[in-house]
Amino acid sequence: MIIHANVLITIVSYVLAVVSAMIVGLILRIPILPERPIRHSWTISLIFPTTIIALGLTAILFKLGYEGLLVAVVVGVVSAIFAKYFLERLLPKPQMEESN
């Protein structure tokens, strides 16, 4: 099985985007996991949505023609900053009903 160079660069770019998003997220003190119970939590964390945003933005930019390792690092940094400071303003938490 032959793996072409473009495929390896793309895979490494995705991994680099996720790793850079996680490193910047740790520097910005984003929690690694959301609050418990996870299925009812709307807390922003490193696992979700920061890494998912990094993967999505990387895929969008690759489809638009911007490829490379530097693009992946920049996308990782931008996605961590976006998740920390702008995501809750764009998509606010839903109001929870109080149980009696």
Side-chain angles (χ1 to χ4, degrees):
M1 184 165 101
I2 298 173
I3 298 178
H4 299 285
N6 290 340
V7 174
L8 289 176
I9 291 173
T10 303
I11 292 172
V12 170
S13 296
Y14 282 128
V15 170
L16 192 60
V18 169
V19 169
S20 65
M22 293 182 92
I23 290 172
V24 173
L26 286 173
I27 292 170
L28 295 174
R29 298 188 190 272
I30 298 175
I32 296 173
L33 291 174
E35 298 171 350
R36 299 266 182 209
I38 293 175
R39 67 175 174 248
H40 297 296
S41 175
W42 291 93
T43 305
I44 294 173
S45 67
L46 283 180
I47 303 300
F48 183 81
T50 307
T51 56
I52 307 304
I53 291 171
L55 288 173
L57 287 176
T58 306
I60 290 170
L61 287 177
F62 281 1
K63 193 67 175 174
L64 291 174
Y66 299 103
E67 296 183 4
L69 301 177
L70 182 63
V71 172
V73 171
V74 170
V75 165
V77 171
V78 168
S79 65
I81 291 171
F82 177 77
K84 174 72 177 184
Y85 296 111
F86 300 113
L87 188 62
E88 283 191 2
R89 292 181 186 162
L90 185 66
L91 302 170
K93 293 180 183 180
Q95 294 181 357
M96 302 298 268
E97 295 180 12
E98 293 186 28
S99 60
N100 293 329

